[in-house]
Amino acid sequence: CVLNSIVSACGRAAACESVAKDALRRAFAVYDEMERGRGFSCDAYTYASLIAGCVNAGEPERALELYRKSGEKQVKRTAAVFAAAAHACGSDALPGGPDLPRALDVWRDMRAEGVAPDAMLYATLVDVAGRAGERRVAERVTAEMERDGTPPTAAVFAALAGVAAREGDVEGVERILADMTQRGVHPVREVFAALVAAAAR
C-alpha cells in the first residue's frame, strides 16, 4: 500500500510540467523495485497509477507499453487500468494523434476479462472517438452504455457535446443539453463551451 501510494503520488505530480520528468522517474524507480521481487508485486493499482502518470507527463506510448506488460504478467486488471489505457489512446502526443483502434482493443480486452465498465470509462472512450473524428462510434458507445444500464453522466454528455462541436453541429449540442436537463443531470461548463465552439465553427 505504501509503495503504491508513492507511485500514485508521483503519477499525479507528473501533471505539473516543471516536475513531470523527475516525478515519473521516481515512480518508475519504485515500480522497478517492486518488479525485482523483493516480497512485493505490482497489482492493478500500481499499473493504473503508473499508466496515468505517463499520460500526465505526455508519454502515452510508454503508458500503452505498461498496459501491454500488465496483460503479459496476467495482472487482474480493473476498470481503472482500462480507463487509464483508453485515456492514453486519446492523447494528441501519439504519433498520428488519438488512436481509436487501440482504444477499442482496450475495450475488447476489458470485456474479455469480464470487467464491468464504469461511467468514466465510457466517457473516455466517447472522447477518444470524438478526437478521432468518429462520431458514430461515440454514439454507439453511448447506446451500449444505456443498454448496460449505466446512466450517462455529465462527463459522458460533455464528451458527446465535444464531438458535435468539432463538426460545428449546434443543433446536436443543443439536443445534448436538452437531454441532460430532461434527465436531471446538471449541465457542466464543457457543454456550454462546446455550444459556443459549435456556433463559432
Side-chain angles (χ1 to χ4, degrees), residues 37-194:
R38 298 184 178 180
F40 304 102
S41 59
C42 298
D43 59 13
Y45 189 92
T46 317
Y47 278 100
S49 298
L50 202 50
I51 291 169
C54 289
V55 175
N56 286 341
E59 297 189 26
E61 285 283 12
R62 198 174 185 186
L64 291 170
E65 175 60 24
L66 279 168
Y67 171 74
R68 185 190 61 76
K69 188 177 287 187
S70 72
E72 286 180 352
K73 290 184 175 291
Q74 297 185 327
V75 171
K76 189 174 181 180
R77 298 186 285 196
T78 61
V81 175
F82 294 113
H87 188 55
C89 294
S91 174
D92 290 325
L94 286 171
D99 192 336
L100 181 58
R102 281 171 97 174
L104 293 174
D105 284 342
V106 170
W107 183 261
R108 282 188 284 271
D109 288 346
M110 179 203 68
R111 289 296 198 189
E113 292 177 30
V115 176
D118 57 15
M120 185 52 68
L121 183 49
Y122 279 111
T124 301
L125 197 58
V126 168
D127 184 58
V128 175
R131 287 173 176 272
E134 294 288 347
R135 186 172 182 178
R136 286 184 181 177
V137 175
E139 290 170 347
R140 196 163 67 238
V141 170
T142 308
E144 186 173 335
M145 179 181 189
E146 298 259 29
R147 283 196 305 272
D148 284 348
T150 305
T153 61
V156 173
F157 283 117
L160 282 171
V163 175
R166 289 184 191 95
E167 296 182 2
D169 183 3
V170 177
E171 289 183 2
V173 180
E174 287 177 338
R175 281 195 300 272
I176 290 165
L177 191 53
D179 193 14
M180 291 182 78
T181 305
Q182 187 178 353
R183 291 171 184 257
V185 179
H186 185 71
V188 290
R189 178 180 54 199
E190 289 82 0
V191 178
F192 291 108

Side-chain angles (χ1 to χ4, degrees), residues 7-24 53 56-57:
V7 172
S8 177
C10 291
R12 289 172 182 271
C16 181
E17 190 176 349
S18 61
V19 298
K21 287 185 178 179
D22 187 50
L24 204 56
N56 286 341

